Amino acid sequence: MDPIANLAVNTIRTLAIDAVQKANSGHPGLPMGSAPMAYVLWHKYLKHNPRDPKWPDRDRFVLSAGHGSMLWYALLHLTGYDLSLDDLKAFRQWQSRTPGHPESFMTPGVEATTGPLGQGTGNAVGTQWTLGKSGLEPHRQGE
């Protein structure tokens, strides 16, 4: 892994460790273990625009592991979405923009509210079905 990618992965991990520790709640394991995969996915493959989180032709990222949501929040913060370091420090706090289970109406870049375990599968299938019905095509590698 090149030095910049390594720094990015370790930054994701560190943000997750610090936020979970400060909140005294959540699970750092998912962000720590998934940071390399998530970095590659977000950096090389996902088509998104932090300045326009609702851009119709964006790729959708659904994470159905609410307690591991610091992975998502760290990625959003590091890729330029309107999510500050102070927002990350308020992880899992009452009325925070970074709740323990992501809420689509609270955090820019969060596509779906993920509530109960397993709900992400339904969200992902529903999102794909809706894209198909709308005439939008999903992003394919190399496009």
Side-chain angles (χ1 to χ4, degrees), residues 38 40-48 59-61 139:
V40 170
L41 179 66
W42 279 68
H43 183 69
K44 295 187 182 237
Y45 297 101
L46 280 184
K47 185 170 66 169
H48 61 102
D59 287 333
R60 274 60 171 189
F61 178 79
H139 173 67

Side-chain angles (χ1 to χ4, degrees), residues 10-139:
N10 286 332
T11 301
I12 293 166
R13 290 173 169 156
T14 303
L15 288 170
I17 292 166
D18 288 348
V20 169
Q21 181 68 31
K22 184 175 187 294
N24 198 27
S25 181
H27 301 289
L30 185 138
M32 290 175 63
S34 298
M37 169 276 302
Y39 170 78
V40 170
L41 179 66
W42 279 68
H43 183 69
K44 295 187 182 237
Y45 297 101
L46 280 184
K47 185 170 66 169
H48 61 102
N49 183 351
R51 291 175 305 245
D52 187 5
K54 298 293 183 189
W55 171 46
D57 197 30
R58 70 193 179 280
D59 287 333
R60 274 60 171 189
F61 178 79
V62 177
L63 178 71
S64 182
H67 282 82
S69 58
M70 263 310 299
L71 173 70
W72 203 347
Y73 298 144
L75 289 164
L76 291 171
H77 171 71
L78 293 172
T79 56
Y81 284 81
D82 181 22
L83 203 61
S84 71
L85 189 55
D86 286 334
D87 290 325
L88 299 184
K89 289 178 182 179
F91 176 60
R92 296 185 67 90
Q93 302 305 305
W94 179 250
Q95 296 185 328
S96 164
R97 294 178 75 205
T98 51
H101 288 259
E103 303 282 352
S104 59
F105 59 90
M106 295 178 79
T107 312
V110 170
E111 295 291 340
T113 299
T114 58
L117 291 176
Q119 186 175 335
T121 302
N123 280 328
V125 170
T127 298
Q128 184 60 36
W129 182 82
T130 302
L131 287 173
K133 290 292 183 184
S134 70
L136 292 172
E137 291 293 323
H139 173 67

